[in-house]
Amino acid sequence: MASRDESIEADYNFDDEGYAESTNTSYVTSIASDIRRGIEENGRTYPAYGQHQYGMPIDEREQDRNDLQHCKFVLVLNDHLFLSPIDDEPQHILDLGTGTGIWAIDVADKYPTAEVLGVDIAPIQPTFMPPNCRFELDDIENEWLYRKDHFDLIHARELMLAVRDWDQLIKQAYDHLKPGGYLELSQSVPDPGCDDGSLPDDSAYRQMTAYFIEIGERLGASVHAAKLFKQKMEQAGFEDVVEKRFKIPCSAWPKNPRLKKIGMFEAAHVDAGAEALLLRGMTQALGKSREEAQVFFAEVRKEIRNPRMHAYIWFYDVHGRKPHRRRTFEAAEG
């Protein structure tokens, strides 16, 4: 039996604007518009660009959550934007998965000598920014086209469910850093901890993190990746690799004023972010209905408002320096 013809029918109308000499046509503009609009799914908007399906939305609610996350992480890092000990007058800084661009904009304001580039698969960044800051649409898991031996700092934070091949990303970062430049990777790890037994084994909060871990495994983007950042960076040839871990309370339960404030940010993040983090994965990867997911999110929100539940997760921050002497990735492996 002959197979079904799956060939693509050609358009022989060569007057079509798609064949114009310039790419500045309404045809190309419509493609760009599709990327900006994203994909509507379960009442949320997801990226339409990138080689892999991204698990989290990019709509205004998610952008607000990302900006809230930025404030939380600055507090976690004791009012620092990053921990890498770079020079006072860096020239080139790259922010991977820049999201709303808030980190890149703050860094550009802090370091006026630097050209700060933020890249992301979603064009959701503002149009008004410092003159030394710019944004590009790019998938960081593709081959990088930036100059090699170029950046003083390459930064990536909270790329959960976004990166499948961390070894390749770290290798590319190594190649594109100046000798003496730094790579800094930071990410939350959703392993709930509790030091006083106040987090029940059957809590919705624990189940939320279990769902998140399973979704990551099914997508091929492990949410435990941060535990191996230090090892992978050392294997790639980085020196002076430093790993720091920070506790992030799930709500405002700590006595310490700084940790209490971090907990308030985290509670707001979970309240708004449980759906963002899990809805697509639960409905597609785990086979749950949207209604089942929404009921579960309500249970999680109820728990994080309970001041008697003293749960927390870990936040990993790892930075390392590319050696001043020339060293290839292959030599580092040997």
Side-chain angles (χ1 to χ4, degrees), residues 112-132:
T113 62
E115 177 187 274
V116 181
L117 171 62
V119 295
D120 202 279
I121 59 172
I124 57 174
Q125 299 77 37
T127 54
F128 295 99
M129 65 199 77
N132 60 324

Side-chain angles (χ1 to χ4, degrees), residues 72-93:
K72 180 187 74 178
F73 290 133
V74 171
L75 273 175
V76 170
L77 299 181
N78 291 298
D79 297 324
H80 294 290
L81 291 168
F82 55 87
L83 300 182
S84 298
I86 65 172
D87 294 337
D88 292 336
E89 295 185 347
Q91 300 300 306
H92 303 283
I93 295 174

Side-chain angles (χ1 to χ4, degrees), residues 34-266:
D34 288 342
I35 293 173
R36 282 194 296 270
R37 280 198 302 269
I39 299 170
E40 295 294 327
E41 187 179 294
N42 287 322
R44 304 301 300 263
T45 304
Y46 295 86
Y49 181 77
Q51 63 170 302
H52 298 298
Q53 186 184 73
Y54 181 53
M56 297 188 219
I58 57 169
D59 47 33
E60 288 189 12
R61 281 189 287 165
E62 179 67 359
Q63 292 174 43
D64 290 342
R65 187 186 71 84
N66 286 336
D67 288 347
L68 192 73
Q69 284 272 78
H70 174 70
C71 296
K72 180 187 74 178
F73 290 133
V74 171
L75 273 175
V76 170
L77 299 181
N78 291 298
D79 297 324
H80 294 290
L81 291 168
F82 55 87
L83 300 182
S84 298
I86 65 172
D87 294 337
D88 292 336
E89 295 185 347
Q91 300 300 306
H92 303 283
I93 295 174
L94 174 63
D95 186 30
L96 305 174
T98 195
T100 63
I102 188 170
W103 184 92
I105 290 170
D106 282 357
V107 168
D109 283 334
K110 183 176 177 64
Y111 296 98
T113 62
E115 177 187 274
V116 181
L117 171 62
V119 295
D120 202 279
I121 59 172
I124 57 174
Q125 299 77 37
T127 54
F128 295 99
M129 65 199 77
N132 60 324
C133 182
R134 62 189 177 91
F135 300 108
E136 291 182 358
L137 183 73
D138 202 358
D139 185 339
I140 60 173
E141 291 206 278
N142 291 335
E143 181 180 355
W144 295 6
L145 302 180
Y146 319 120
R147 287 173 52 191
K148 293 189 176 181
D149 301 318
H150 181 64
F151 294 102
D152 299 273
L153 172 66
I154 297 178
H155 170 268
R157 175 178 295 163
E158 210 70 348
L159 299 184
M160 303 177 82
L161 303 184
V163 176
R164 271 68 171 176
D165 191 344
W166 282 102
D167 291 309
Q168 174 65 11
L169 184 141
I170 291 170
K171 178 189 180 300
Q172 293 208 85
Y174 185 94
D175 291 341
H176 289 81
L177 281 167
K178 294 178 180 177
Y182 280 85
L183 170 65
E184 182 159 341
L185 305 175
S186 56
Q187 186 165 296
S188 304
V189 175
D191 286 336
C194 180
D195 298 332
D196 61 7
S198 60
L199 178 63
D201 291 338
D202 61 350
S203 69
Y205 186 79
R206 283 194 188 277
Q207 183 61 58
M208 177 186 72
T209 59
Y211 280 149
F212 199 43
I213 292 168
E214 184 177 358
I215 290 166
E217 290 175 350
R218 296 200 181 194
L219 292 177
S222 172
V223 297
H224 286 133
K227 296 178 179 179
L228 297 177
F229 283 166
K230 185 175 188 293
Q231 174 186 325
K232 290 180 180 296
M233 288 171 66
E234 289 173 340
Q235 290 173 342
F238 285 93
E239 296 182 341
D240 302 326
V241 181
V242 176
E243 176 188 277
K244 293 193 175 182
R245 297 193 306 158
F246 304 87
K247 284 183 178 180
I248 297 183
C250 73
S251 65
W253 60 262
K255 287 184 178 180
N256 178 280
R258 177 176 152 274
L259 290 176
K260 182 179 288 291
K261 191 171 184 179
I262 291 172
M264 291 172 64
F265 275 111
E266 176 65 6

